[in-house]
Amino acid sequence: MMPVIVARRLWPPALNEVLRLLGRGGEIGDPSAFSGMESPQLASRLARLPVERVLGREVPVARGAVSRLIGLAGLDRAEAGVGLLIPRCSHVHTFGMRFRLDLVFLDLAGQPLLVVPAVPPRRFAGLCGSAAVLELPRGESFGPPVL
């Protein structure tokens, strides 16, 4: 099993496309591009997603390309709710985040392989071999890291 890699990077060019889709038209490296968005719109984007039961809690599931790329970015901690499940995923980014995330990397059976607590904004994190990632607002994790 490969270790988790957490590294600081610049804003990815793909984020410009996401900002364009959201109508904000931001530039690379401009985290303020998410500011000023209406909170109800952001909260409703999670409400429209399908829901699955994972580790005893119901969470929205990011199935489409845009929902997978945006994730919880731009949301306040309270608007993020219980988190977000990203299936068929082994690596995530925290660009555009307003709070730290606890990341739970899951195997094919939905069991935790590794918990990475308090990942700050503007980072990449991944675990080769994981089948899904559960993004949780800081403090909502399922316990200490499993190595």
Side-chain angles (χ1 to χ4, degrees):
M1 181 175 4
M2 295 281 299
V4 171
I5 301 168
V6 179
R8 186 177 178 137
R9 300 278 191 242
L10 298 176
W11 281 66
L15 190 56
N16 282 340
E17 180 63 17
V18 173
L19 296 174
R20 186 189 63 73
L21 290 171
L22 292 174
R24 297 295 299 157
E27 295 293 325
I28 292 177
D30 180 14
S32 65
F34 283 102
S35 65
M37 293 178 140
E38 296 178 13
S39 296
Q41 177 186 0
L42 292 173
S44 69
R45 78 171 191 218
L46 293 179
R48 291 189 303 258
L49 295 175
V51 176
E52 283 187 21
R53 192 159 196 68
V54 179
L55 299 174
R57 64 176 67 189
E58 292 185 356
V59 294
V61 181
R63 294 196 190 276
V66 173
S67 63
R68 291 169 64 88
L69 181 62
I70 296 173
L72 299 176
L75 297 175
D76 291 329
R77 190 180 192 286
E79 295 171 318
V82 295
L84 181 69
L85 176 66
I86 306 173
R88 301 176 321 278
C89 177
S90 61
H91 295 78
V92 295
H93 69 83
T94 60
F95 295 96
M97 294 302 303
R98 295 181 176 176
F99 53 91
R100 291 175 179 260
L101 288 178
D102 290 340
L103 301 175
V104 182
F105 293 90
L106 305 169
D107 64 12
L108 286 171
Q111 295 303 309
L113 294 171
L114 182 70
V115 177
V116 183
V119 177
R122 297 180 311 277
R123 302 292 194 278
F124 286 108
L127 177 65
C128 291
S130 63
V133 179
L134 183 58
E135 294 183 343
L136 303 167
R138 175 73 183 123
E140 297 288 324
S141 75
F142 295 96
V146 179
L147 298 177

